Amino acid sequence: RRFRLHDLLPRLTRAMVLCKPCPEPMLRLASNFLH
């Protein structure tokens, strides 16, 4: 299934605005961060 970037951009923008920033040490604890 292909993604239509034109349709996804508003949703991605809204998610970025609504999500709280995560501190970097917490991101580093995630197994898939910088691997």
Side-chain angles (χ1 to χ4, degrees):
R1 188 173 110 173
R2 291 185 179 257
F3 294 104
R4 292 192 305 246
L5 191 58
H6 182 71
D7 295 341
L8 286 179
L9 275 175
R11 295 171 62 190
L12 287 174
T13 305
R14 184 171 181 263
M16 288 187 337
V17 170
L18 293 179
C19 290
K20 296 178 182 171
C22 189
E24 187 174 340
M26 291 295 288
L27 289 175
R28 291 193 184 279
L29 289 176
S31 61
N32 63 349
F33 186 67
L34 290 179
H35 283 267

